[in-house]
Amino acid sequence: MTDLFATLEAHATAVRLKAYAPYSRFQVGAALVTEDGQIFAGCNVENAAYPEGTCAEAGAIAAMVAAGGSRKIQTIMVAGKGPAPCLPCGGCRQKIREFATPATRVQVVNEEGQLLFEETLHALLPASFGPENLDQDA
Ligand code: THU
């Protein structure tokens, strides 16, 4: 295990315990490292009006953008619950895509921080739409 894995694992599992998930009881934490080595974390925040809840990945991405440094995600780790890997939902895959490179990796760990899944974002969202689609003259 690399130091980076241990760092992301510590952040993702710690922030998972802060999740506000009274409706699903499914706490999720996410931690990402940017290309310039900054770490950001987020948890899911549910809402009585169910669709208004936000995913852990969205919280980590919002913290990254608010910090104002590199917005390129090197690796994002998701800490979920139970034996099935808590893979990012479709919406979160697209949110990660916005700040991804071809090398961006997605790791999923369980409550104990054991690695359950690892892939590139590209493998999870191939043939995707991204910022470069909007960079052309109209
Ligand atoms: N959730 C996340 O925060 N991230 C994921 O990758 C999958 C699902 C949240 C959304 C909702 O609050 C709860 O988990 C159950 O779907």
Side-chain angles (χ1 to χ4, degrees):
M1 293 298 169
T2 64
D3 286 348
L4 179 58
F5 180 90
T7 301
L8 287 175
E9 185 270 316
H11 280 83
T13 55
V15 75
R16 193 185 83 81
L17 300 177
K18 296 181 177 162
Y20 176 73
Y23 306 108
S24 72
R25 302 266 168 214
F26 191 85
Q27 294 92 348
V28 184
L32 65 82
V33 59
T34 59
E35 284 192 340
D36 64 357
Q38 295 189 83
I39 307 274
F40 298 102
C43 57
N44 55 333
V45 181
E46 297 184 347
N47 192 282
Y50 292 173
E52 298 304 325
T54 51
C55 286
E57 295 90 326
I61 289 169
M64 173 187 74
V65 173
S70 167
R71 293 187 292 236
K72 287 290 177 208
I73 299 172
Q74 181 205 107
T75 301
I76 183 165
M77 179 184 288
V78 182
K81 187 175 165 183
C86 179
L87 285 156
C89 72
C92 283
R93 294 179 194 202
Q94 187 69 40
K95 288 182 176 73
I96 299 165
R97 164 68 175 88
E98 187 74 14
F99 304 106
T101 72
T104 297
R105 301 196 72 76
V106 176
Q107 296 177 326
V108 180
V109 298
N110 62 14
E111 300 103 302
E112 285 84 41
Q114 295 162 319
L115 186 65
L116 300 179
F117 178 90
E118 178 166 15
E119 252 305 351
T120 60
L121 185 275
H122 178 74
L124 296 179
L125 192 70
S128 61
F129 185 86
E132 61 278 6
N133 287 98
L134 303 179
D135 274 348
Q136 294 156 26
D137 293 337

